[in-house]
Amino acid sequence: MHEDNSIMTTQINETTRYFDYLAQGYAIREDLPSAYREVWNKIAHAGNWWRGEQRVAIAKEVRVARQCKLCSTRKSALSPYAVEGRHDSASDLSSTAVDAIHRLATDASRLTRDWLVNLNQQGLSQEEYVELLGIVVAVLSIDAFHRSMGFALETLPAPFAGVTSQYRPDSARDGEAWVPGIQAKLAVGKEAGLYEGSKQVPGVIMAMSLVPDSVRMQTCLSGVMYLKIDDIADFSKNGDRKISRTQMELLAARVSSLSDCFY
Amino acid sequence: MLRASTAIEGSEVDLQVVTSGRSTAGGLPAEAELVSFVEAALGDDTDAISATRNILREKLGAEALVDAAAVIANFQRVVVIADGTGLPLDKPIALITVGIREELGIDEYGSARHTPKLGFFMRMIGLGLNMVLPMIVKRMVK
């Protein structure tokens, strides 16, 4: 892990051992760094709608957003829409993409459907948005784990060359969320196994399904940081953690409340 | 989810702790330490994070600390997905949690606008279900 926890990437090949907690003297159950490594690897490669270099740039912007002056001013304003300006940015991503990343990373509870429609009108497609969101939340979450454990942030991965697949699942339908998704019963064919066979799929998982690989990235993290999909609705399960299910749910509920999140 | 898990484990949690951070019951092991750790973790004060982390490690052990940090980080991801996609509560959840949401004032959160308000009759049904929720959850698990 790199001492400078800002925005560095590193030119190392695919065998680079990221999240090597043991080498740093921390004994952490292995499934966590293993999942984090998998996510880092996914971020570094071309996705459905963003190339590897763009995906790593999105990750970099998540970290920049924490120090962005415009984001800080907007966050303290009565309405984020009352404050104009330019984000502090460290990438060549479009200003629309940068705004999406910074708002998601710093002020998500005040986002509106109109905001997203406006992004779409400015050229950021729904598919691009969902893939971008998946990267933002993965980096936010892994960084948050590091901060709360007192670890330096992991160096971001070096991107790999490759082309986007432009894959959009036919089974994605408009629903109640702002973006289309795949219902559990429609997760067949290429999407069979997307929800690990579960029929009780949490909305937050389904919400990412316009880009199925984003679902896979979220379930990879969720399975080790919280619970596997099938265990979520079984309140007797705690994933063999060292805290009880009630303690887990207390933490979850307090995070939601502090984040002003109704969900 | 919190209420359902307390029903299964038979633990006592004052749900006010969710919104206020303070509990009058404090019946859950290390409840205050867990809440303090969450509150620090969501802020920028590294000294506070370090202090609450050390207290929690002493209270529950190093492995439990890792599990707690992972859950907190997981839900920092979940809330942004929910807010970033305008996700409403699943209908059954919206129905059975109506009483708790009203009691805790959660319906006043900005992102509550993504979930349609229940009509009078559905609200009454929800309040009724709320009372028998622990029994329903126990039966589901069996």
Side-chain angles (χ1 to χ4, degrees):
Chain A
M1 282 168 280
H2 202 281
E3 285 304 312
D4 175 3
N5 63 7
S6 57
I7 53 172
M8 295 198 66
T9 62
T10 184
Q11 294 293 327
I12 313 177
N13 65 34
E14 203 150 358
T15 60
T16 299
R17 192 167 174 80
Y18 296 104
F19 302 101
D20 193 351
Y21 298 121
L22 207 53
Q24 305 290 319
Y26 309 117
I28 303 270
R29 55 182 162 87
E30 179 52 32
D31 59 347
L32 279 166
S34 176
Y36 295 169
R37 267 178 227 122
E38 190 176 332
V39 167
W40 244 226
N41 189 44
K42 285 176 191 289
I43 288 174
H45 286 83
N48 295 29
W49 302 97
W50 298 95
R51 297 189 311 277
E53 68 195 62
Q54 293 172 311
R55 289 164 62 86
V56 173
I58 290 167
K60 201 184 288 188
E61 284 293 344
V62 173
R63 293 181 176 179
V64 171
R66 283 180 67 90
Q67 276 94 42
C68 174
K69 290 186 189 70
L70 176 60
C71 287
S72 173
T73 308
R74 278 185 172 171
K75 178 96 177 152
S76 55
L78 202 55
S79 165
Y81 305 99
V83 182
E84 295 289 329
R86 283 174 66 91
H87 290 288
D88 299 329
S89 173
S91 70
D92 293 330
L93 295 169
S94 71
S95 58
T96 309
V98 169
D99 186 55
I101 298 161
H102 283 230
R103 286 294 306 278
L104 286 164
T106 63
D107 199 12
S109 68
R110 295 196 291 176
L111 297 178
T112 63
R113 185 189 285 270
D114 286 347
W115 169 79
L116 180 56
V117 168
N118 193 35
L119 291 183
N120 297 153
Q121 287 169 347
Q122 289 176 34
L124 187 72
S125 70
Q126 287 184 320
E127 295 84 357
E128 289 169 333
Y129 174 75
V130 172
E131 185 169 318
L132 174 149
L133 170 61
I135 297 166
V136 168
V137 294
V139 175
L140 274 179
S141 187
I142 293 172
D143 283 359
F145 176 77
H146 276 230
R147 284 195 186 90
S148 62
M149 289 300 296
F151 301 161
L153 301 190
E154 183 57 274
T155 306
L156 292 172
F160 289 87
V163 294
T164 57
S165 68
Q166 310 275 307
Y167 174 68
R168 187 191 196 282
D170 292 335
S171 48
R173 303 274 188 277
D174 284 333
E176 291 176 326
W178 298 338
V179 290
I182 305 172
Q183 292 180 6
K185 63 185 177 191
L186 297 177
V188 294
K190 276 187 176 178
E191 273 62 69
L194 184 63
Y195 301 132
E196 300 173 354
S198 179
K199 296 297 174 201
Q200 289 182 300
V201 184
V204 285
I205 300 287
M206 210 179 294
M208 305 298 292
S209 58
L210 183 59
V211 181
D213 284 343
S214 292
V215 170
R216 295 182 183 103
M217 196 153 79
Q218 303 315 314
T219 52
C220 168
L221 287 175
S222 181
V224 297
M225 299 176 83
Y226 176 53
L227 294 167
K228 294 191 186 312
I229 295 178
D230 252 354
D231 290 348
I232 293 174
D234 183 344
F235 297 101
S236 67
K237 299 275 180 67
N238 78 333
D240 293 328
R241 308 290 185 236
K242 301 298 181 191
I243 53 177
S244 71
R245 180 65 185 266
T246 306
Q247 288 172 316
M248 293 167 82
E249 296 304 336
L250 172 66
L251 294 169
R254 189 68 185 129
V255 170
S256 292
S257 178
L258 289 167
S259 307
D260 197 29
C261 181
F262 176 76
Y263 192 82
Chain B
M1 301 285 267
L2 175 59
R3 182 136 187 264
S5 60
T6 60
I8 296 301
E9 293 180 359
S11 45
E12 290 284 328
V13 176
D14 175 2
L15 293 178
Q16 292 294 339
V17 74
V18 171
T19 48
S20 71
R22 287 180 293 280
S23 164
T24 52
L28 196 62
E31 183 178 302
E33 290 80 3
L34 288 165
V35 169
S36 296
F37 186 46
V38 179
E39 291 173 351
L42 267 67
D44 292 324
D45 184 344
T46 52
D47 290 341
I49 297 172
S50 175
T52 55
R53 182 175 63 239
N54 291 337
I55 291 169
L56 188 60
R57 184 190 287 118
E58 269 186 31
K59 186 91 178 180
L60 293 179
E63 290 175 303
L65 170 68
V66 169
D67 291 339
V71 170
I72 292 166
N74 185 73
F75 280 88
Q76 287 177 266
R77 182 171 53 81
V78 166
V79 297
V80 176
I81 295 175
D83 287 337
T85 58
L87 196 64
L89 279 183
D90 300 323
K91 285 197 175 81
I93 302 292
L95 192 63
I96 61 176
T97 59
V98 62
I100 297 169
R101 288 187 281 119
E102 287 179 3
E103 182 187 336
L104 299 181
I106 294 171
D107 282 339
E108 304 307 313
Y109 289 4
S111 52
R113 64 184 177 276
H114 306 320
T115 300
K117 294 259 186 239
L118 293 177
F120 176 77
F121 288 109
M122 293 307 284
R123 180 174 171 272
M124 288 297 129
I125 291 169
L127 291 174
L129 285 172
N130 188 38
M131 288 191 284
V132 296
L133 176 66
M135 281 183 288
I136 295 171
V137 171
K138 280 181 183 170
R139 189 169 285 264
M140 280 167 60
V141 170
K142 280 179 188 168

